[in-house]
Amino acid sequence: DVEFLAEMGRDLGRRLGELQDEIEKQVGHAINIQSPKQLSQALFDEMGLALPWMMRGASGQYSTAADVLEKLRDSHPVVDLILEHRQLAKLKGTYVDTLPALVNSRTGRLHTSFNQAGSITGRFSSSNPNLQNIPIRTELGREIRRAFVAEEGWQLLAADYSQVELRVLAHIPGDPAMLAAFARGEDIHAS
C-alpha cells in the first residue's frame, strides 16, 4: 500500500523535525544528529555527559554508538530524543521511503528474490527487498507491516523457519521420535 507508506513517511518526517528541534533546544545550538563527531562534542564535551568508564576512541571523540547511548539514558533527556530520532530515521529511510520505489510498475506489487544459496547458514534469504528484516518488535514496525496487502483472493504467509532443517529431517524419513518431540513442542536437541 504505497499511499499508506507515503502518509506514514509524512508523519515520520514531521516527528523527526520535532525531535530535531527539541534536541537542538536541549543542546543549545543546531546540530547534525547523523554526525558522530558533532554529537560527541555536544553530548560529552559541551554537556559533560561522559561517564568515568567512557574512553575516547582513535578519533579523539567519545563513541555515540547506540549501546553507549543506551547506558546514558538516565543521564539527560536529550539521550532518549536522540535514540528515538535514530530509530525513526532508520525505519523511514530503510523501509517507509524505500519500499514504494521497489513496487513493480507493471504489477503494482512488491516482488522479492528468494536466494537458496545466499547465506552462510544455508537458509533461504530474501533480497530487493529483504522481507526477512521487516520490523515486528515495535509498534511502529508493526505499522510498516500493515502496508503489505495481499492481492484479491490471495493471502500473505509469514513463516518462522526455526529449526526448519531438523523438521525436514524428521519428516522425510518419518522419524517417530523426532516427529513426536516436535509435536510436543520439546527442545529437539535435548530430546
Side-chain angles (χ1 to χ4, degrees):
D1 186 339
V2 172
E3 185 50 44
F4 175 82
L5 288 173
E7 180 62 32
M8 189 175 195
R10 288 187 290 272
D11 291 344
L12 287 173
R14 279 191 290 277
R15 179 63 184 146
L16 286 165
E18 292 167 1
L19 287 167
Q20 177 79 36
D21 292 345
E22 185 58 32
I23 291 166
E24 289 178 353
K25 185 174 155 188
Q26 299 251 346
V27 170
H29 57 80
I31 184 172
N32 177 356
I33 299 167
Q34 277 74 36
S35 166
K37 182 178 181 179
Q38 287 185 31
L39 201 53
S40 179
Q41 287 174 334
L43 294 178
F44 306 121
D45 297 334
E46 297 168 20
M47 298 176 74
L49 298 182
L51 297 175
W53 56 266
M54 296 175 65
M55 299 188 60
R56 293 184 186 269
S59 67
Q61 302 293 320
Y62 288 108
S63 172
T64 59
D67 62 328
V68 173
L69 294 181
E70 285 291 339
K71 293 174 184 170
L72 296 173
R73 272 192 185 269
D74 297 330
S75 62
H76 196 282
V78 75
V79 177
D80 280 331
L81 298 172
I82 292 166
L83 288 169
E84 181 182 355
H85 188 281
R86 281 186 177 176
Q87 177 194 27
L88 297 183
K90 179 172 173 69
L91 291 175
K92 186 176 188 306
T94 304
Y95 303 107
V96 177
D97 293 344
T98 303
L99 288 173
L102 297 173
V103 170
N104 183 294
S105 60
R106 187 177 55 79
T107 65
R109 314 289 311 159
L110 192 64
H111 303 276
T112 191
S113 295
F114 289 104
N115 313 298
Q116 254 183 310
S119 74
I120 296 170
T121 62
R123 292 184 170 164
F124 281 117
S125 65
S126 152
S127 58
N128 298 324
N130 181 351
L131 297 179
Q132 294 168 307
N133 288 346
I134 307 298
I136 194 165
R137 291 190 183 122
T138 65
E139 181 61 37
L140 194 54
R142 289 186 290 277
E143 278 295 301
I144 292 170
R145 285 175 173 247
R146 284 188 44 213
F148 291 85
V149 180
E151 191 172 346
E152 185 72 31
W154 291 79
Q155 290 183 341
L156 295 178
L157 171 69
D160 177 357
Y161 50 70
S162 173
Q163 301 178 334
V164 68
E165 296 89 353
L166 292 172
R167 292 172 190 274
V168 170
L169 181 65
H171 174 75
I172 290 175
D175 184 285
M178 290 179 78
L179 290 170
F182 278 121
R184 290 189 300 266
E186 295 175 1
D187 177 337
I188 191 68
H189 300 289
S191 298

